[in-house]
Amino acid sequence: MSSPTDPPVLTLRPTTERRVFTVALAVIISSIFIMPGAVTAGWIGILVGLAVVAAFVGLVALSRFRPLVVLTRTHLGHRGMFGGIRWIPRSLVKGIVHGPVLLGRTAPHTVFIADEGGRCLLRLMDGTFERADLDRLVAQLPAPVYPLPLRALTPNKLDLLYPGLTSWWERHPIGLAFIILAAVLIVTLCTAVIIAL
């Protein structure tokens, strides 16, 4: 959808807190976990390891610096890590669910903007945006607001209350872990076969 012509009413940018710290932490953690094993495979392993570290750090940097939310009189726009701004007509927004959602060991305050069928149009978290900015966005949208309990809900429990807001991989973390493990094993085996040839 093309950009609306009316001026922004509200613009949300990622919180500036801990941006550099998060990227530096990504460099350190990825280097600790990836490079020791890569070094044992020689120069090819080192190059592959550096490429993986660079890709991971790049994704972390994009997640911290690129997101943007723009609210106009007629549309709600969101730019994620990749691509341009995706515009959603405000007339599609029929409900807002917000509160703490358990993601691993953290429970960020999460805002779900849903359509008439309860499907999630947009999901924002206070790990990326300031909580006060999220509250201002919720106040600006003329739709019913449904607060979640103060005690953080797991994605499975949230899905029981509001089906369609959470994804399959969030509700099945063990299944996702097996898929990732299988993918890593396949890539490792293929790499070993290529090196052996």
Side-chain angles (χ1 to χ4, degrees), residues 109-167:
H109 185 86
T110 307
V111 175
F112 299 92
I113 299 172
D115 64 10
E116 191 170 12
R119 292 179 298 272
C120 185
L121 296 171
L122 182 59
R123 176 178 177 171
L124 305 168
M125 291 184 285
D126 68 356
T128 303
F129 299 97
E130 294 283 357
R131 171 70 186 276
D133 288 343
L134 293 178
D135 291 342
R136 286 196 299 146
L137 176 66
V138 169
Q140 290 276 353
L141 291 171
V145 178
Y146 306 98
L148 294 173
L150 292 178
R151 185 176 180 182
L153 296 179
T154 64
N156 282 323
K157 289 182 179 178
L158 177 61
D159 190 62
L160 293 175
L161 288 175
Y162 301 102
L165 293 184
T166 56
S167 60

Side-chain angles (χ1 to χ4, degrees), residues 170-189:
E170 288 177 289
R171 299 192 304 273
H172 303 87
I174 295 175
L176 176 66
F178 277 116
I179 292 171
I180 292 174
L181 180 60
V184 170
L185 288 174
I186 290 170
V187 170
T188 303
L189 289 173

